[in-house]
């Protein structure tokens, strides 16, 4: 019986640890999760906050980042990068505007 209770307790602890906070149906990520996902430093994450690149909220002393907004920012960045690459490819393949003959 004690072994079963210990197993259940460990399962509950694991579920609590893995559960992401949700407020008004929005899933929030921690700074550690954001840094791990994108391979950025604490300082870079702070810079993104300071420059209003990514939204965040404070719950007590804990900074949380709305997952949907983070993905929107990533989508915008991705679209911008794709547009820049397309422009570079187009410029590289376009004939010269004027020739010096």
């Amino acid at each position: 019986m004690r072994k079963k209770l210990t197993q259940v307790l460990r399962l509950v602890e694991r579920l609590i640890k893995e559960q992401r906070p949700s407020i008004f149906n929005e899933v929030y990520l921690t700074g550690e999760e954001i840094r791990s996902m994108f391979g950025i430093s604490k300082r870079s994450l702070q810079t993104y906050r300071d420059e209003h690149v990514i939204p965040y909220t404070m719950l007590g002393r804990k900074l949380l980042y709305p997952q949907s907004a983070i993905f929107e920012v990533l989508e915008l960045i991705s679209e911008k990068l794709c547009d820049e690459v397309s422009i570079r490819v187009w410029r590289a393949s376009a004939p010269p505007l004027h020739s010096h003959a």
Side-chain angles (χ1 to χ4, degrees):
M1 179 74 162
R2 183 178 176 141
K3 184 177 181 181
K4 188 75 168 169
L5 285 174
T6 303
Q7 288 175 336
V8 170
L9 188 59
R10 285 187 184 147
L11 176 62
V12 169
E13 288 173 346
R14 193 182 93 224
L15 290 173
I16 290 171
K17 184 177 180 181
E18 292 174 359
Q19 180 63 37
R20 296 190 194 318
S22 176
I23 303 168
F24 298 115
N25 295 323
E26 174 67 69
V27 175
Y28 286 84
L29 303 171
T30 65
E32 184 177 318
E33 290 170 320
I34 297 288
R35 291 192 317 272
S36 174
M37 290 168 92
F38 304 110
I40 60 174
S41 67
K42 286 182 179 183
R43 182 67 189 128
S44 293
L45 187 57
Q46 182 174 345
T47 299
Y48 297 151
R49 284 193 313 267
D50 293 346
E51 294 179 358
H52 306 285
V53 172
I54 58 172
Y56 67 95
T57 190
M58 287 191 75
L59 188 60
R61 296 185 65 178
K62 184 125 178 133
L63 290 166
L64 298 172
Y65 304 85
Q67 183 176 18
S68 63
I70 296 299
F71 289 146
E72 286 175 22
V73 168
L74 289 174
E75 188 174 319
L76 289 172
I77 291 169
S78 176
E79 288 173 5
K80 183 177 178 184
L81 290 174
C82 286
D83 289 346
E84 289 175 7
V85 168
S86 295
I87 289 169
R88 286 187 202 133
V89 168
W90 177 79
R91 284 182 181 160
S93 64
L97 293 177
H98 45 81
S99 63
H100 300 300

